[in-house]
Amino acid sequence: MHPLAILAVGVATVIGMILVLRINAFMALITAAILVSLLAPGELADKISRVAEAFGESAGKIGIVIALAAVIGECMMRSGAADRIVQAFLRLLGVRQASVALLGSGFVLAVPVFFDTVFYLLVPLARSLYRRTGQNYLLYLLAIAAGGAITHTLVPPTPGPLVMADQLGIDIGAMIIAGAAVALPAAIVGVLLAHVFDRLVPVPFREVGTGPEMRTLEDDELPSLFLSVLPVLLPVLLISANTVVGTLMKQTTDPSALARLEQIGQWTSVFGNANLALLLSTAVAMWLLWRQLKPTLTEMSEMVETSLMSGGAIILITAGGGAFGAMLKVAEIGPAIEGYFSDSGTAASGLSFMLLGYFIAALLKVAQGSSTVAMITASSMLAATIAGGVDLGYHPVYLATAIGAGSLMGSWMNDSGFWIFAKMGGLTEAEALKSWTPLLAAMSLASLGMSVLLAMTVPMV
């Protein structure tokens, strides 16, 4: 069977099972992986076992990080660390710039905490601010959405960016740095457009049946700002330091300087490993929770177990996507696409791959609603395409950020984030379609533009 036909079968299986049959994303991805493997070349006896091996390899690379990130996020929520970060932004910028404070809070908190949790945390604050000011309610909601959504799709250790880094062979530190560099301008675009939509889309304040509003905690009930941001900053600094040292070692020609960097690199390669960096961060977050609330060992154990259960579903989906991508490589999708370009006399430029990744992710997002599934599937396909050593002309991290940008496009009623925004914010479906959907579309285009700009001006991270 022709490789491109196998690709079509795999993609149709994923989209059809998720969108039409409403089957869980893990089941869809692993079924597609098995189908692709059965259709791909190889010994019949090995076609199922290689799917399991690829699944295990993917889970081994990203499973620990995702599980630990889930624990960190839960600890930050319960200990008051997340509240302290939000209050620090508000105190720094003031109520007049509350939208920027909410944007910054969502931007920071969505690195270790999943988007839905960030929105649950911050939306009561948006409602409280509206009661104080009597205006700009939609602005506050959109600011939270802009900050949380952009880092959710571009900055590890959230699952989508993490898996893209693994699929495309990108150092996690490089993904953090480049993802943040793309995300920040897009977030600024988002908060500016939030002001526009706040004027164009009249959204009345409505009470929602979500229980009592969040109580504003007193300063003496919260950890210090330094301790609050430490679980976020510690792994970022450790992983980034390892990336920086590794980059300097490749570029240094002075023997004495290289020797010093190699000595430093022995330490940064250990402590900058994402698994150890997140484990240290988890220890800090758990200590902070114990320091603030003094839970019993049983209560602490139950909290960790609850966090790991939520993270486990994400690990299954991401590892299933990894297995799907590996089987696409086995099916020789990459050489087939390269052959198509060669036969047509068209050179496959780096920009064409970036646009291809963006549009595949955008199509998948519109079709099945999940940004994470869109990123996993698109990066799997592109990884198979460039597996033969294609010269992109830029660091593959920009291909990942372009795919992440595509996963923001076309958020509508099949996206859980759409419903979280609408129901928690008290918006109608029409109001959400007029505000949330175009806001994320604009941020998607801004992220793509920034990815292209950085690929042209700073091609190698």
mmCIF file of all heavy atoms in Angstrom, residues 95-146:
data_model
loop_
_atom_site.group_PDB
_atom_site.id
_atom_site.type_symbol
_atom_site.label_atom_id
_atom_site.label_comp_id
_atom_site.label_asym_id
_atom_site.label_seq_id
_atom_site.Cartn_x
_atom_site.Cartn_y
_atom_site.Cartn_z
ATOM 1 N N VAL A 95 -5.281 47.881 39.925
ATOM 2 C CA VAL A 95 -6.574 47.479 39.375
ATOM 3 C C VAL A 95 -6.763 48.015 37.963
ATOM 4 O O VAL A 95 -7.391 47.373 37.121
ATOM 5 C CB VAL A 95 -7.710 47.955 40.303
ATOM 6 C CG1 VAL A 95 -9.077 47.641 39.695
ATOM 7 C CG2 VAL A 95 -7.592 47.294 41.667
ATOM 8 N N ARG A 96 -6.194 49.191 37.670
ATOM 9 C CA ARG A 96 -6.352 49.773 36.329
ATOM 10 C C ARG A 96 -5.727 48.886 35.257
ATOM 11 O O ARG A 96 -6.151 48.905 34.118
ATOM 12 C CB ARG A 96 -5.744 51.175 36.285
ATOM 13 C CG ARG A 96 -6.515 52.204 37.098
ATOM 14 C CD ARG A 96 -5.836 53.574 37.004
ATOM 15 N NE ARG A 96 -5.788 54.055 35.634
ATOM 16 C CZ ARG A 96 -6.758 54.736 35.037
ATOM 17 N NH1 ARG A 96 -7.882 54.995 35.698
ATOM 18 N NH2 ARG A 96 -6.640 55.149 33.791
ATOM 19 N N GLN A 97 -4.709 48.148 35.624
ATOM 20 C CA GLN A 97 -4.067 47.231 34.686
ATOM 21 C C GLN A 97 -4.364 45.784 35.074
ATOM 22 O O GLN A 97 -3.533 44.894 34.891
ATOM 23 C CB GLN A 97 -2.556 47.476 34.669
ATOM 24 C CG GLN A 97 -2.152 48.841 34.164
ATOM 25 C CD GLN A 97 -2.551 49.059 32.708
ATOM 26 O OE1 GLN A 97 -2.537 48.116 31.912
ATOM 27 N NE2 GLN A 97 -2.899 50.282 32.364
ATOM 28 N N ALA A 98 -5.559 45.569 35.616
ATOM 29 C CA ALA A 98 -5.917 44.227 36.085
ATOM 30 C C ALA A 98 -5.886 43.207 34.952
ATOM 31 O O ALA A 98 -5.561 42.039 35.173
ATOM 32 C CB ALA A 98 -7.303 44.251 36.727
ATOM 33 N N SER A 99 -6.209 43.634 33.736
ATOM 34 C CA SER A 99 -6.201 42.684 32.618
ATOM 35 C C SER A 99 -4.795 42.152 32.365
ATOM 36 O O SER A 99 -4.606 40.963 32.085
ATOM 37 C CB SER A 99 -6.756 43.345 31.353
ATOM 38 O OG SER A 99 -5.969 44.462 30.982
ATOM 39 N N VAL A 100 -3.797 43.032 32.474
ATOM 40 C CA VAL A 100 -2.413 42.596 32.285
ATOM 41 C C VAL A 100 -1.997 41.679 33.423
ATOM 42 O O VAL A 100 -1.271 40.689 33.217
ATOM 43 C CB VAL A 100 -1.467 43.814 32.192
ATOM 44 C CG1 VAL A 100 -0.026 43.363 32.011
ATOM 45 C CG2 VAL A 100 -1.891 44.729 31.052
ATOM 46 N N ALA A 101 -2.452 41.985 34.648
ATOM 47 C CA ALA A 101 -2.145 41.131 35.791
ATOM 48 C C ALA A 101 -2.733 39.736 35.606
ATOM 49 O O ALA A 101 -2.077 38.722 35.885
ATOM 50 C CB ALA A 101 -2.670 41.766 37.068
ATOM 51 N N LEU A 102 -3.965 39.679 35.140
ATOM 52 C CA LEU A 102 -4.601 38.377 34.903
ATOM 53 C C LEU A 102 -3.918 37.637 33.759
ATOM 54 O O LEU A 102 -3.759 36.413 33.800
ATOM 55 C CB LEU A 102 -6.083 38.565 34.604
ATOM 56 C CG LEU A 102 -6.933 39.070 35.773
ATOM 57 C CD1 LEU A 102 -8.348 39.389 35.297
ATOM 58 C CD2 LEU A 102 -6.973 38.046 36.892
ATOM 59 N N LEU A 103 -3.516 38.366 32.722
ATOM 60 C CA LEU A 103 -2.769 37.764 31.614
ATOM 61 C C LEU A 103 -1.473 37.153 32.130
ATOM 62 O O LEU A 103 -1.152 35.997 31.819
ATOM 63 C CB LEU A 103 -2.459 38.820 30.557
ATOM 64 C CG LEU A 103 -1.571 38.359 29.390
ATOM 65 C CD1 LEU A 103 -2.401 37.620 28.356
ATOM 66 C CD2 LEU A 103 -0.865 39.541 28.744
ATOM 67 N N GLY A 104 -0.723 37.932 32.915
ATOM 68 C CA GLY A 104 0.542 37.427 33.445
ATOM 69 C C GLY A 104 0.343 36.238 34.364
ATOM 70 O O GLY A 104 1.122 35.275 34.329
ATOM 71 N N SER A 105 -0.700 36.272 35.168
ATOM 72 C CA SER A 105 -0.980 35.158 36.070
ATOM 73 C C SER A 105 -1.284 33.889 35.277
ATOM 74 O O SER A 105 -0.753 32.808 35.575
ATOM 75 C CB SER A 105 -2.161 35.500 36.978
ATOM 76 O OG SER A 105 -1.891 36.646 37.761
ATOM 77 N N GLY A 106 -2.147 34.009 34.273
ATOM 78 C CA GLY A 106 -2.459 32.851 33.441
ATOM 79 C C GLY A 106 -1.242 32.349 32.692
ATOM 80 O O GLY A 106 -1.030 31.137 32.559
ATOM 81 N N PHE A 107 -0.409 33.267 32.213
ATOM 82 C CA PHE A 107 0.795 32.924 31.452
ATOM 83 C C PHE A 107 1.746 32.087 32.307
ATOM 84 O O PHE A 107 2.291 31.074 31.850
ATOM 85 C CB PHE A 107 1.483 34.210 31.008
ATOM 86 C CG PHE A 107 2.585 34.024 29.998
ATOM 87 C CD1 PHE A 107 2.324 34.136 28.643
ATOM 88 C CD2 PHE A 107 3.881 33.751 30.398
ATOM 89 C CE1 PHE A 107 3.344 33.971 27.711
ATOM 90 C CE2 PHE A 107 4.904 33.588 29.484
ATOM 91 C CZ PHE A 107 4.628 33.699 28.133
ATOM 92 N N VAL A 108 1.959 32.500 33.561
ATOM 93 C CA VAL A 108 2.897 31.802 34.448
ATOM 94 C C VAL A 108 2.302 30.492 34.957
ATOM 95 O O VAL A 108 2.959 29.438 34.931
ATOM 96 C CB VAL A 108 3.300 32.713 35.626
ATOM 97 C CG1 VAL A 108 4.107 31.927 36.659
ATOM 98 C CG2 VAL A 108 4.097 33.911 35.130
ATOM 99 N N LEU A 109 1.054 30.548 35.402
ATOM 100 C CA LEU A 109 0.463 29.374 36.043
ATOM 101 C C LEU A 109 0.193 28.239 35.063
ATOM 102 O O LEU A 109 0.189 27.072 35.452
ATOM 103 C CB LEU A 109 -0.836 29.767 36.748
ATOM 104 C CG LEU A 109 -0.680 30.677 37.971
ATOM 105 C CD1 LEU A 109 -2.040 31.107 38.485
ATOM 106 C CD2 LEU A 109 0.107 29.976 39.061
ATOM 107 N N ALA A 110 -0.024 28.544 33.787
ATOM 108 C CA ALA A 110 -0.327 27.489 32.818
ATOM 109 C C ALA A 110 0.907 26.706 32.396
ATOM 110 O O ALA A 110 0.793 25.742 31.641
ATOM 111 C CB ALA A 110 -1.011 28.081 31.579
ATOM 112 N N VAL A 111 2.104 27.095 32.878
ATOM 113 C CA VAL A 111 3.294 26.294 32.589
ATOM 114 C C VAL A 111 3.239 24.967 33.342
ATOM 115 O O VAL A 111 3.373 23.903 32.727
ATOM 116 C CB VAL A 111 4.584 27.082 32.922
ATOM 117 C CG1 VAL A 111 5.809 26.183 32.765
ATOM 118 C CG2 VAL A 111 4.712 28.297 32.013
ATOM 119 N N PRO A 112 3.015 24.964 34.682
ATOM 120 C CA PRO A 112 2.901 23.674 35.368
ATOM 121 C C PRO A 112 1.468 23.198 35.563
ATOM 122 O O PRO A 112 1.255 22.051 35.949
ATOM 123 C CB PRO A 112 3.543 23.978 36.735
ATOM 124 C CG PRO A 112 3.162 25.388 37.007
ATOM 125 C CD PRO A 112 3.088 26.080 35.668
ATOM 126 N N VAL A 113 0.480 24.072 35.353
ATOM 127 C CA VAL A 113 -0.915 23.746 35.669
ATOM 128 C C VAL A 113 -1.711 23.706 34.371
ATOM 129 O O VAL A 113 -1.534 24.551 33.494
ATOM 130 C CB VAL A 113 -1.523 24.797 36.628
ATOM 131 C CG1 VAL A 113 -2.950 24.430 36.993
ATOM 132 C CG2 VAL A 113 -0.674 24.934 37.882
ATOM 133 N N PHE A 114 -2.600 22.719 34.222
ATOM 134 C CA PHE A 114 -3.396 22.603 33.008
ATOM 135 C C PHE A 114 -4.336 23.794 32.864
ATOM 136 O O PHE A 114 -4.777 24.392 33.843
ATOM 137 C CB PHE A 114 -4.194 21.304 33.007
ATOM 138 C CG PHE A 114 -3.320 20.072 33.021
ATOM 139 C CD1 PHE A 114 -3.664 18.964 33.784
ATOM 140 C CD2 PHE A 114 -2.152 20.028 32.286
ATOM 141 C CE1 PHE A 114 -2.860 17.835 33.801
ATOM 142 C CE2 PHE A 114 -1.341 18.909 32.304
ATOM 143 C CZ PHE A 114 -1.691 17.813 33.061
ATOM 144 N N PHE A 115 -4.697 24.118 31.609
ATOM 145 C CA PHE A 115 -5.466 25.329 31.335
ATOM 146 C C PHE A 115 -6.783 25.369 32.097
ATOM 147 O O PHE A 115 -7.153 26.405 32.652
ATOM 148 C CB PHE A 115 -5.744 25.446 29.825
ATOM 149 C CG PHE A 115 -6.710 26.551 29.495
ATOM 150 C CD1 PHE A 115 -6.286 27.865 29.439
ATOM 151 C CD2 PHE A 115 -8.061 26.282 29.264
ATOM 152 C CE1 PHE A 115 -7.169 28.895 29.154
ATOM 153 C CE2 PHE A 115 -8.950 27.299 28.976
ATOM 154 C CZ PHE A 115 -8.500 28.611 28.924
ATOM 155 N N ASP A 116 -7.516 24.259 32.111
ATOM 156 C CA ASP A 116 -8.822 24.297 32.769
ATOM 157 C C ASP A 116 -8.688 24.632 34.250
ATOM 158 O O ASP A 116 -9.490 25.375 34.815
ATOM 159 C CB ASP A 116 -9.572 22.982 32.562
ATOM 160 C CG ASP A 116 -8.791 21.771 33.017
ATOM 161 O OD1 ASP A 116 -7.591 21.909 33.316
ATOM 162 O OD2 ASP A 116 -9.378 20.667 33.075
ATOM 163 N N THR A 117 -7.632 24.111 34.894
ATOM 164 C CA THR A 117 -7.405 24.409 36.307
ATOM 165 C C THR A 117 -7.061 25.878 36.511
ATOM 166 O O THR A 117 -7.529 26.511 37.465
ATOM 167 C CB THR A 117 -6.278 23.522 36.863
ATOM 168 O OG1 THR A 117 -6.575 22.150 36.589
ATOM 169 C CG2 THR A 117 -6.130 23.702 38.360
ATOM 170 N N VAL A 118 -6.244 26.425 35.623
ATOM 171 C CA VAL A 118 -5.891 27.844 35.718
ATOM 172 C C VAL A 118 -7.137 28.713 35.589
ATOM 173 O O VAL A 118 -7.328 29.679 36.348
ATOM 174 C CB VAL A 118 -4.861 28.217 34.619
ATOM 175 C CG1 VAL A 118 -4.657 29.724 34.555
ATOM 176 C CG2 VAL A 118 -3.538 27.524 34.882
ATOM 177 N N PHE A 119 -8.004 28.363 34.655
ATOM 178 C CA PHE A 119 -9.201 29.173 34.467
ATOM 179 C C PHE A 119 -10.131 29.060 35.673
ATOM 180 O O PHE A 119 -10.714 30.053 36.118
ATOM 181 C CB PHE A 119 -9.928 28.761 33.184
ATOM 182 C CG PHE A 119 -10.858 29.812 32.660
ATOM 183 C CD1 PHE A 119 -10.364 30.903 31.949
ATOM 184 C CD2 PHE A 119 -12.218 29.744 32.898
ATOM 185 C CE1 PHE A 119 -11.215 31.884 31.479
ATOM 186 C CE2 PHE A 119 -13.076 30.720 32.425
ATOM 187 C CZ PHE A 119 -12.572 31.800 31.716
ATOM 188 N N TYR A 120 -10.264 27.840 36.207
ATOM 189 C CA TYR A 120 -11.072 27.663 37.419
ATOM 190 C C TYR A 120 -10.546 28.545 38.553
ATOM 191 O O TYR A 120 -11.317 29.109 39.329
ATOM 192 C CB TYR A 120 -11.053 26.199 37.877
ATOM 193 C CG TYR A 120 -11.846 25.256 37.022
ATOM 194 C CD1 TYR A 120 -11.385 23.966 36.770
ATOM 195 C CD2 TYR A 120 -13.057 25.635 36.459
ATOM 196 C CE1 TYR A 120 -12.105 23.087 35.980
ATOM 197 C CE2 TYR A 120 -13.787 24.761 35.671
ATOM 198 C CZ TYR A 120 -13.303 23.489 35.438
ATOM 199 O OH TYR A 120 -14.027 22.627 34.655
ATOM 200 N N LEU A 121 -9.222 28.629 38.658
ATOM 201 C CA LEU A 121 -8.606 29.404 39.727
ATOM 202 C C LEU A 121 -8.850 30.899 39.576
ATOM 203 O O LEU A 121 -9.167 31.604 40.540
ATOM 204 C CB LEU A 121 -7.094 29.132 39.753
ATOM 205 C CG LEU A 121 -6.250 30.069 40.636
ATOM 206 C CD1 LEU A 121 -6.533 29.807 42.106
ATOM 207 C CD2 LEU A 121 -4.780 29.907 40.329
ATOM 208 N N LEU A 122 -8.720 31.393 38.347
ATOM 209 C CA LEU A 122 -8.692 32.841 38.135
ATOM 210 C C LEU A 122 -10.052 33.460 37.842
ATOM 211 O O LEU A 122 -10.237 34.662 38.054
ATOM 212 C CB LEU A 122 -7.728 33.177 36.992
ATOM 213 C CG LEU A 122 -6.255 32.850 37.247
ATOM 214 C CD1 LEU A 122 -5.397 33.257 36.045
ATOM 215 C CD2 LEU A 122 -5.742 33.557 38.492
ATOM 216 N N VAL A 123 -11.019 32.679 37.357
ATOM 217 C CA VAL A 123 -12.293 33.295 36.984
ATOM 218 C C VAL A 123 -13.023 33.911 38.183
ATOM 219 O O VAL A 123 -13.649 34.981 38.026
ATOM 220 C CB VAL A 123 -13.188 32.292 36.221
ATOM 221 C CG1 VAL A 123 -13.761 31.224 37.142
ATOM 222 C CG2 VAL A 123 -14.323 33.032 35.506
ATOM 223 N N PRO A 124 -12.951 33.350 39.389
ATOM 224 C CA PRO A 124 -13.594 34.063 40.508
ATOM 225 C C PRO A 124 -12.972 35.429 40.764
ATOM 226 O O PRO A 124 -13.666 36.364 41.180
ATOM 227 C CB PRO A 124 -13.380 33.117 41.701
ATOM 228 C CG PRO A 124 -13.170 31.779 41.094
ATOM 229 C CD PRO A 124 -12.429 32.052 39.828
ATOM 230 N N LEU A 125 -11.665 35.546 40.524
ATOM 231 C CA LEU A 125 -11.003 36.836 40.684
ATOM 232 C C LEU A 125 -11.514 37.832 39.645
ATOM 233 O O LEU A 125 -11.705 39.023 39.945
ATOM 234 C CB LEU A 125 -9.495 36.658 40.559
ATOM 235 C CG LEU A 125 -8.636 37.886 40.854
ATOM 236 C CD1 LEU A 125 -8.894 38.392 42.265
ATOM 237 C CD2 LEU A 125 -7.165 37.563 40.669
ATOM 238 N N ALA A 126 -11.748 37.372 38.415
ATOM 239 C CA ALA A 126 -12.308 38.244 37.377
ATOM 240 C C ALA A 126 -13.688 38.738 37.784
ATOM 241 O O ALA A 126 -14.029 39.914 37.591
ATOM 242 C CB ALA A 126 -12.377 37.498 36.045
ATOM 243 N N ARG A 127 -14.470 37.858 38.370
ATOM 244 C CA ARG A 127 -15.810 38.249 38.811
ATOM 245 C C ARG A 127 -15.732 39.237 39.976
ATOM 246 O O ARG A 127 -16.519 40.190 40.061
ATOM 247 C CB ARG A 127 -16.604 36.999 39.197
ATOM 248 C CG ARG A 127 -16.748 36.005 38.046
ATOM 249 C CD ARG A 127 -17.431 34.713 38.477
ATOM 250 N NE ARG A 127 -18.850 34.941 38.728
ATOM 251 C CZ ARG A 127 -19.779 34.970 37.793
ATOM 252 N NH1 ARG A 127 -19.451 34.786 36.518
ATOM 253 N NH2 ARG A 127 -21.050 35.169 38.097
ATOM 254 N N SER A 128 -14.774 39.010 40.871
ATOM 255 C CA SER A 128 -14.592 39.930 41.994
ATOM 256 C C SER A 128 -14.149 41.310 41.507
ATOM 257 O O SER A 128 -14.611 42.349 42.007
ATOM 258 C CB SER A 128 -13.554 39.349 42.959
ATOM 259 O OG SER A 128 -13.298 40.248 44.020
ATOM 260 N N LEU A 129 -13.262 41.341 40.528
ATOM 261 C CA LEU A 129 -12.806 42.621 39.973
ATOM 262 C C LEU A 129 -13.962 43.362 39.303
ATOM 263 O O LEU A 129 -14.058 44.589 39.396
ATOM 264 C CB LEU A 129 -11.678 42.380 38.965
ATOM 265 C CG LEU A 129 -10.302 42.082 39.559
ATOM 266 C CD1 LEU A 129 -9.365 41.561 38.478
ATOM 267 C CD2 LEU A 129 -9.715 43.329 40.212
ATOM 268 N N TYR A 130 -14.819 42.628 38.620
ATOM 269 C CA TYR A 130 -15.972 43.286 37.992
ATOM 270 C C TYR A 130 -16.871 43.913 39.050
ATOM 271 O O TYR A 130 -17.379 45.027 38.870
ATOM 272 C CB TYR A 130 -16.777 42.291 37.151
ATOM 273 C CG TYR A 130 -18.061 42.895 36.641
ATOM 274 C CD1 TYR A 130 -18.063 43.726 35.531
ATOM 275 C CD2 TYR A 130 -19.271 42.667 37.301
ATOM 276 C CE1 TYR A 130 -19.227 44.311 35.075
ATOM 277 C CE2 TYR A 130 -20.442 43.245 36.853
ATOM 278 C CZ TYR A 130 -20.414 44.070 35.734
ATOM 279 O OH TYR A 130 -21.571 44.665 35.296
ATOM 280 N N ARG A 131 -17.085 43.206 40.158
ATOM 281 C CA ARG A 131 -17.926 43.763 41.212
ATOM 282 C C ARG A 131 -17.324 45.052 41.784
ATOM 283 O O ARG A 131 -18.043 45.948 42.212
ATOM 284 C CB ARG A 131 -18.111 42.738 42.327
ATOM 285 C CG ARG A 131 -19.007 41.568 41.932
ATOM 286 C CD ARG A 131 -19.390 40.743 43.155
ATOM 287 N NE ARG A 131 -20.340 39.689 42.795
ATOM 288 C CZ ARG A 131 -19.998 38.437 42.550
ATOM 289 N NH1 ARG A 131 -18.735 38.087 42.611
ATOM 290 N NH2 ARG A 131 -20.920 37.535 42.237
ATOM 291 N N ARG A 132 -15.984 45.119 41.769
ATOM 292 C CA ARG A 132 -15.321 46.310 42.288
ATOM 293 C C ARG A 132 -15.370 47.457 41.293
ATOM 294 O O ARG A 132 -15.562 48.614 41.669
ATOM 295 C CB ARG A 132 -13.872 45.992 42.641
ATOM 296 C CG ARG A 132 -13.122 47.165 43.260
ATOM 297 C CD ARG A 132 -11.638 46.886 43.430
ATOM 298 N NE ARG A 132 -11.371 45.688 44.223
ATOM 299 C CZ ARG A 132 -10.147 45.309 44.568
ATOM 300 N NH1 ARG A 132 -9.091 46.028 44.170
ATOM 301 N NH2 ARG A 132 -9.964 44.226 45.276
ATOM 302 N N THR A 133 -15.159 47.162 40.006
ATOM 303 C CA THR A 133 -15.063 48.221 38.996
ATOM 304 C C THR A 133 -16.362 48.465 38.251
ATOM 305 O O THR A 133 -16.575 49.548 37.710
ATOM 306 C CB THR A 133 -13.970 47.862 37.969
ATOM 307 O OG1 THR A 133 -14.343 46.652 37.287
ATOM 308 C CG2 THR A 133 -12.628 47.657 38.660
ATOM 309 N N GLY A 134 -17.240 47.447 38.157
ATOM 310 C CA GLY A 134 -18.484 47.589 37.420
ATOM 311 C C GLY A 134 -18.321 47.599 35.915
ATOM 312 O O GLY A 134 -19.242 47.983 35.185
ATOM 313 N N GLN A 135 -17.171 47.177 35.407
ATOM 314 C CA GLN A 135 -16.944 47.195 33.964
ATOM 315 C C GLN A 135 -15.862 46.178 33.589
ATOM 316 O O GLN A 135 -15.208 45.591 34.447
ATOM 317 C CB GLN A 135 -16.489 48.598 33.522
ATOM 318 C CG GLN A 135 -15.231 49.085 34.232
ATOM 319 C CD GLN A 135 -14.884 50.520 33.878
ATOM 320 O OE1 GLN A 135 -15.560 51.156 33.085
ATOM 321 N NE2 GLN A 135 -13.823 51.048 34.467
ATOM 322 N N ASN A 136 -15.686 45.985 32.256
ATOM 323 C CA ASN A 136 -14.587 45.193 31.691
ATOM 324 C C ASN A 136 -14.628 43.706 32.070
ATOM 325 O O ASN A 136 -13.587 43.047 32.130
ATOM 326 C CB ASN A 136 -13.223 45.766 32.097
ATOM 327 C CG ASN A 136 -13.020 47.182 31.630
ATOM 328 O OD1 ASN A 136 -13.570 47.590 30.607
ATOM 329 N ND2 ASN A 136 -12.253 47.945 32.376
ATOM 330 N N TYR A 137 -15.824 43.166 32.284
ATOM 331 C CA TYR A 137 -15.888 41.754 32.681
ATOM 332 C C TYR A 137 -15.330 40.834 31.599
ATOM 333 O O TYR A 137 -14.508 39.945 31.874
ATOM 334 C CB TYR A 137 -17.334 41.383 33.009
ATOM 335 C CG TYR A 137 -17.519 39.937 33.389
ATOM 336 C CD1 TYR A 137 -16.791 39.371 34.425
ATOM 337 C CD2 TYR A 137 -18.431 39.127 32.703
ATOM 338 C CE1 TYR A 137 -16.955 38.041 34.781
ATOM 339 C CE2 TYR A 137 -18.605 37.796 33.051
ATOM 340 C CZ TYR A 137 -17.864 37.261 34.095
ATOM 341 O OH TYR A 137 -18.034 35.943 34.441
ATOM 342 N N LEU A 138 -15.755 41.029 30.346
ATOM 343 C CA LEU A 138 -15.245 40.192 29.261
ATOM 344 C C LEU A 138 -13.748 40.378 29.080
ATOM 345 O O LEU A 138 -13.026 39.421 28.780
ATOM 346 C CB LEU A 138 -15.984 40.509 27.958
ATOM 347 C CG LEU A 138 -15.576 39.670 26.740
ATOM 348 C CD1 LEU A 138 -15.827 38.192 26.993
ATOM 349 C CD2 LEU A 138 -16.309 40.130 25.485
ATOM 350 N N LEU A 139 -13.260 41.586 29.270
ATOM 351 C CA LEU A 139 -11.823 41.848 29.179
ATOM 352 C C LEU A 139 -11.059 40.976 30.164
ATOM 353 O O LEU A 139 -10.029 40.369 29.811
ATOM 354 C CB LEU A 139 -11.551 43.327 29.451
ATOM 355 C CG LEU A 139 -10.082 43.729 29.649
ATOM 356 C CD1 LEU A 139 -9.268 43.446 28.405
ATOM 357 C CD2 LEU A 139 -9.989 45.195 30.046
ATOM 358 N N TYR A 140 -11.529 40.902 31.398
ATOM 359 C CA TYR A 140 -10.846 40.103 32.406
ATOM 360 C C TYR A 140 -10.850 38.619 32.031
ATOM 361 O O TYR A 140 -9.827 37.929 32.154
ATOM 362 C CB TYR A 140 -11.513 40.290 33.772
ATOM 363 C CG TYR A 140 -11.486 41.704 34.299
ATOM 364 C CD1 TYR A 140 -12.516 42.197 35.082
ATOM 365 C CD2 TYR A 140 -10.423 42.558 34.012
ATOM 366 C CE1 TYR A 140 -12.495 43.498 35.574
ATOM 367 C CE2 TYR A 140 -10.398 43.861 34.492
ATOM 368 C CZ TYR A 140 -11.431 44.331 35.273
ATOM 369 O OH TYR A 140 -11.414 45.607 35.751
ATOM 370 N N LEU A 141 -11.989 38.131 31.547
ATOM 371 C CA LEU A 141 -12.072 36.723 31.155
ATOM 372 C C LEU A 141 -11.127 36.406 29.996
ATOM 373 O O LEU A 141 -10.422 35.385 30.002
ATOM 374 C CB LEU A 141 -13.502 36.376 30.760
ATOM 375 C CG LEU A 141 -14.565 36.390 31.858
ATOM 376 C CD1 LEU A 141 -15.927 36.054 31.257
ATOM 377 C CD2 LEU A 141 -14.229 35.426 32.974
ATOM 378 N N LEU A 142 -11.118 37.283 29.004
ATOM 379 C CA LEU A 142 -10.269 37.041 27.829
ATOM 380 C C LEU A 142 -8.788 37.157 28.173
ATOM 381 O O LEU A 142 -7.957 36.450 27.584
ATOM 382 C CB LEU A 142 -10.627 38.024 26.716
ATOM 383 C CG LEU A 142 -11.991 37.808 26.047
ATOM 384 C CD1 LEU A 142 -12.275 38.924 25.050
ATOM 385 C CD2 LEU A 142 -12.051 36.441 25.357
ATOM 386 N N ALA A 143 -8.438 38.016 29.108
ATOM 387 C CA ALA A 143 -7.036 38.139 29.527
ATOM 388 C C ALA A 143 -6.559 36.837 30.165
ATOM 389 O O ALA A 143 -5.438 36.364 29.897
ATOM 390 C CB ALA A 143 -6.884 39.310 30.495
ATOM 391 N N ILE A 144 -7.407 36.251 31.015
ATOM 392 C CA ILE A 144 -7.057 34.960 31.616
ATOM 393 C C ILE A 144 -6.890 33.905 30.527
ATOM 394 O O ILE A 144 -5.922 33.135 30.519
ATOM 395 C CB ILE A 144 -8.157 34.519 32.605
ATOM 396 C CG1 ILE A 144 -8.267 35.501 33.771
ATOM 397 C CG2 ILE A 144 -7.870 33.107 33.125
ATOM 398 C CD1 ILE A 144 -9.490 35.261 34.642
ATOM 399 N N ALA A 145 -7.842 33.873 29.600
ATOM 400 C CA ALA A 145 -7.805 32.880 28.521
ATOM 401 C C ALA A 145 -6.556 33.038 27.666
ATOM 402 O O ALA A 145 -5.915 32.047 27.292
ATOM 403 C CB ALA A 145 -9.058 33.006 27.660
ATOM 404 N N ALA A 146 -6.195 34.271 27.342
ATOM 405 C CA ALA A 146 -5.031 34.509 26.485
ATOM 406 C C ALA A 146 -3.750 34.027 27.151
ATOM 407 O O ALA A 146 -2.922 33.345 26.528
ATOM 408 C CB ALA A 146 -4.928 36.001 26.157
#
